[in-house]
Each structure stands twice: as structure tokens, then as C-alpha cells.
Amino acid sequence: MSSPSSTDRRPLRVALLGCGVVGSQVARMLTEHAADLAARAGAPLELVGVAVRDVSVPREGVDPALLTTDAGPLVDAADIVVEVMGGDEPARGLMLRAIAGGAAVVTANKALLASDGPALYAAADEAGVDIYFEAAVAGAIPIVRPVRESLAGDYVRKVLGIVNGTTNYVLDQMSTTGLGLDEAVAQAQQLGYAEADPTADVGGHDAAAKAAILASLAFHTRVTLDDVACEGITSITADDVAWAAKTGHVVKLLAIAERTPDGVSARVHPALVPADHPLAGVRGAFNAVFVEAEAAGDLMFYGQGAGGAPTASAVLGDVVSAARHRVLGGKGPEESTYAALPVVPASSAITRYQVRLLVVDRPGVLAQVAHLLADQGVSIEAVRQAPSDRPAGVDEPSGLAHLIITTHTATEAALAGTVEAVAALDPVREITSVLRVEGA
Ligand code: NDP
Ligand code: HSE
């Protein structure tokens, strides 16, 4: 007897929570690609309702009869719940309700996963249902599944990535068009890349949430948002971007998760990336993630990290996986925290730095600064001097100069002590910037 075809099977009921930038594209693709999705999933996927805040807003391609503000009953009636409303509550409660009712959950909500993921994973494990979240990290790029499943036989050493499209777009615009930070953020909002509150993007918190998720998966250790040291791009100036170019670098906001001798560390901060490094070529809202693994070596994942359709692609991939399990049985991977490595402070991470100073332009100043760095055990890799156009004061007739010092690797603590000592030197007028250098 032949097995039933996908169209003979009972349709799987899909409830969509949210119909904004991402949700509207999920709805569109579910409708437009219904036949292919049914064939791939093994059963038709029927959109049974769409929860929104305001049902009076027209949603292109969505039957108004499907819209509701009452998400609870919608969740109760679903086989698969797609959460793309964002935020904490009601998203968290609705996902727990879906899981308790035996539905699979697909979510793009990295902020919630990075803080409350363990409670959701535990509930899903207990109920024996899937929880998938490919879209929560780097939009369209398949990175969650490769780290969680494809690399399950290997040992990941480091994950280094550009995982926030908004900040990459903003930094790219600042460096290529000279646009200011606020104008570039406004553009990113219009293009649908930014979070509802874009301070989550520019403050680095969105990238930090993704770093926590990636670190947890890569190191089989529970890493939450609170474990991630986070610095955004608000302190990056047009001058920083211009000087980066002059010294052969590009400024990028990086999320870094690494295995250290003492455990696992995760951090997000702006960094100078050498202009010839592949990450430097990641433009606009694109994302890229490098994974360094013991046996696989270096892997790079690149693509669109934000935006409605790209993110919906990742969401629908998860929907199809969850649907296949409904049809054929089985379940996706559970949370893996068996390694339970200590999460160490990111300040113990060792990296290179570029320090820019404004100094009085007179003989012996460079030697004085170099001597002090040597005293503090921070080794200099390169120094560059350039005249400053800032007018000289009466007590500095020879004028001022920029000193740009690139160090060899140092700990954050060693560097901070050194910078403090350098700032106190008599000929030093200002520490203009201190940026990490990564990817060299
Ligand atoms: P939007 O703000 O564009 O859309 C949110 C949707 O959820 C809206 O339709 C809104 O309804 C609905 N909603 C919000 N709160 C409620 C509520 N309390 N009850 C019912 N409906 C509600 O967000 P995005 O589509 O941009 O993002 C959704 C999720 O996807 C977030 O978790 C985000 O972090 C994540 N994500 C977003 C990406 C992007 O590029 N935008 C990329 C990757 C992940 P209404 O329309 O009536 O206001
Ligand atoms: N606001 C996020 C970004 C969306 O800019 O990358 C994707 O998670």
C-alpha cells in the first residue's frame, strides 16, 4: 500500500503571532508557496490565524478574517505556532501556552531566548515538542542549525561575527557616505532592519543576545545575556571611521564567543578589522559569522541578517522542519548544556588594541609613551604619527600631533591600566580613542 501524499494528509494548523516586518512575509510565503511547502513538509500548512495589536490595519495578502487580537485561543488550536511579535510578554506566555498544548514553536525572538531561553527549552523538552529559532541569529543565514547539528561532532573554538544588520548598515553608511549615526539609524529603521527600539541595535544588546545564543550552542554551556560584555557603537565617531580607513582598517560591531583556557567568554564591541579581512567586506545590512572548529577548520557563513523576506526564509525553514516531525514523528535537538563550562569575564580576553592620542609635537614624546607601555608590559606592534590641525596653545608652540599606536595582544585590564598611565603624561593632551583590533 502506498503512503499518503502530502496533500492527502490533514493540514497542519499554523498560528502566526505578529504580522509586522517579518510576520507579513511569513504570511505571504505560506500562501504563495503553499503547494511546495506542503510537498516539502509532508502535509499542507494552513494559516489558521494571525495575532496582531490592531486588526483595523490592512495587511497585504492576509485575509482580514484571519486577524485577531486574542492570541490565546489561536495558539490553543495550532499544531505549529510562529512567534514573530517580539518583546517579552505576551510572547513568552503564549509560547509556553503553545508548548503546554503540544504545539511546536518557531520563534525569531533572540532577546527573549537570550534571557529566558532555558525555561522555554525545558518546557519544550518536557512536552516533547520542537522549539526552533534559526531566524533569531543573523536573519536568513543558516547558522543555528550548522552550529547545533552539523558541528555536533566537532569542537568549536571561536565564533566571530557581524550579527547585527542595523549597526553594520550604519557603520557602512558612515564610512562610505559620511552620514551621521542618527541619520543612518533612521534609514535602517525605514528599511525594516532595526528593532522596534533601535537602541537595542546601536547599544549592542541585539548582537549580545545573538552572541549568548551562539555561545550556548557552540560550547554546550548555558550562556545568557547577562554573561555577555556589551559595548555598542554610540561612541564611534566619524573621526574613528576616517582614521580606521587611514590605518587600513574598517570599524565593525563584532560578536565574539570563544573557548578560553578557563572556560567560555562572550562579548560584543566595535573593533577595527583589517581592510583585507573577509569581514571588512561585509557591507550594508549583511551579516557574516566565522566559526573556528577543531576538525572543520575555519567556516564562514554570509548573507542577509535582517529584513522581512530574508528572516521569513529562516522562519519557514524551521516551520517545515517542525511540520516534518509532526508528519513522520521524531523531534529536533534539545538544549545541550552538558559541558557546563565556566563563563569567564570578557575582560580576561586577550586582544590587540589601537590607541589614538593627541600629544604635544616635540622630540622625545613618542619615546616617553613607548617607555611607559613597555613598563606596563604592553608591547607595541606599530606606531604612526600625523600632524593635528588643532591650533597650538601658547605653551605648545610646536603644535599637536596624533599618535596612533597599535599594540600586540594584551588583556583588557593591562591595556586599561596603561591608557590611564599614558593619559597622565605631561605631553599627552587627550586619549582620542581606544579600539580593539580583531581578525588580524
Ligand atoms: P514588527 O514590530 O515589525 O512587528 C511586530 C508584530 O507583532 C506586529 O504585527 C504587531 O502588531 C505584533 N504585536 C506586537 N505586540 C503584540 C501583542 N502584544 N499582541 C499581538 N500582536 C502584537 O517586528 P519585526 O517583524 O521586525 O520583528 C519580529 C520579531 O522578529 C522580533 O522578535 C525581532 O527581534 C525578530 N527579528 C526581526 C528581524 C528584522 O529584520 N525585522 C530579523 C530577525 C529577527 P501590529 O502590527 O498590530 O502593531
Ligand atoms: N535588528 C536586527 C538587526 C534584526 O539589525 O540585525 C535582525 O535580528
Side-chain angles (χ1 to χ4, degrees):
M1 201 175 81
S2 65
S3 58
S5 81
S6 57
T7 43
D8 298 336
R9 288 203 165 96
R10 169 182 85 76
L12 293 170
R13 292 158 305 196
V14 179
L16 184 59
L17 309 183
C19 194
V21 173
V22 180
S24 59
Q25 293 303 310
V26 172
R28 178 187 64 78
M29 289 169 73
L30 272 171
T31 310
E32 283 180 9
H33 307 315
D36 286 321
L37 290 170
R40 294 171 196 179
L45 302 175
E46 184 190 355
L47 183 59
V48 291
V50 182
V52 290
R53 275 178 299 216
D54 185 351
V55 290
S56 70
V57 174
R59 322 272 168 170
E60 203 188 325
V62 177
D63 177 354
L66 291 179
L67 298 175
T68 178
T69 53
D70 196 3
L74 179 59
V75 157
D76 295 340
D79 296 298
I80 300 171
V81 171
V82 177
E83 186 279 304
V84 283
M85 59 172 38
D88 187 355
E89 291 295 349
R92 182 178 185 278
L94 288 168
M95 282 195 271
L96 287 171
R97 181 166 171 169
I99 289 166
V105 166
V106 173
T107 178
N109 196 333
K110 58 263 163 159
L112 188 56
L113 290 176
S115 54
D116 261 347
L120 291 163
Y121 307 142
D125 291 350
E126 200 181 320
V129 298
D130 284 330
I131 177 162
Y132 278 114
F133 48 91
E134 184 61 68
V137 183
I141 305 175
I143 183 68
V144 167
R145 197 171 267 101
V147 174
R148 182 151 81 149
E149 298 184 41
S150 316
L151 289 167
D154 205 337
Y155 291 91
V156 174
R157 291 190 180 127
K158 186 169 181 174
V159 181
L160 174 77
I162 295 170
V163 293
N164 182 266
T166 300
T167 46
N168 203 54
Y169 179 83
V170 167
L171 292 170
D172 194 33
Q173 289 291 307
M174 285 171 79
S175 100
T176 54
T177 68
L179 214 63
L181 187 112
D182 291 342
E183 293 158 288
V185 170
Q187 279 190 1
Q189 279 179 291
Q190 277 161 19
L191 291 165
Y193 305 144
E195 294 303 302
D197 175 3
T199 54
D201 297 295
V202 292
H205 310 294
D206 176 77
K210 294 165 182 168
I213 295 169
L214 285 176
S216 303
L217 298 174
F219 305 117
H220 302 272
T221 291
R222 196 169 279 169
V223 180
T224 66
L225 191 56
D226 290 341
D227 298 316
V228 184
C230 176
E231 248 177 70
I233 62 164
T234 44
S235 61
I236 298 297
T237 62
D239 247 15
D240 290 328
V241 172
W243 273 103
K246 283 182 209 166
T247 61
H249 295 89
V250 180
V251 181
K252 294 289 183 194
L253 184 73
L254 297 183
I256 302 170
E258 62 188 331
R259 181 82 211 257
T260 74
D262 305 317
V264 169
S265 92
R267 60 191 201 268
V268 167
H269 53 69
L272 294 170
V273 174
D276 59 358
H277 189 281
L279 280 180
V282 178
R283 306 284 310 274
F286 277 77
N287 284 192
V289 184
F290 272 109
V291 179
E292 244 176 77
E294 191 180 293
D298 292 351
L299 303 164
M300 181 173 169
F301 302 82
Y302 171 84
Q304 296 194 62
T311 308
S313 161
V315 168
L316 280 165
D318 283 350
V319 169
V320 169
S321 295
R324 284 176 180 153
H325 288 146
R326 294 269 139 173
V327 173
L328 300 171
K331 190 180 156 312
E334 300 189 342
E335 185 190 23
S336 171
T337 56
Y338 79 92
L341 298 168
V343 182
V344 299
S347 55
S348 61
I350 293 178
T351 186
R352 293 163 64 227
Y353 289 86
Q354 192 182 86
V355 184
R356 236 169 58 232
L357 323 169
L358 197 62
V359 299
V360 176
D361 191 7
R362 65 170 184 244
V365 173
L366 174 57
Q368 209 178 338
V369 172
H371 195 74
L372 200 146
L373 261 73
D375 279 354
Q376 304 275 332
V378 175
S379 164
I380 294 178
E381 184 190 282
V383 180
R384 176 177 164 157
Q385 182 171 339
S388 162
D389 51 11
R390 196 190 273 196
V394 278
D395 56 339
E396 35 205 48
S398 52
L400 298 172
H402 297 285
L403 265 190
I404 302 102
I405 300 173
T406 308
T407 72
H408 283 294
T409 52
T411 63
E412 193 176 298
L415 201 275
T418 308
V419 168
E420 202 179 317
V422 169
L425 288 175
D426 176 58
V428 174
R429 289 290 167 272
E430 190 180 306
I431 306 285
T432 329
S433 91
V434 179
L435 284 169
R436 296 168 185 85
V437 183
E438 294 282 352

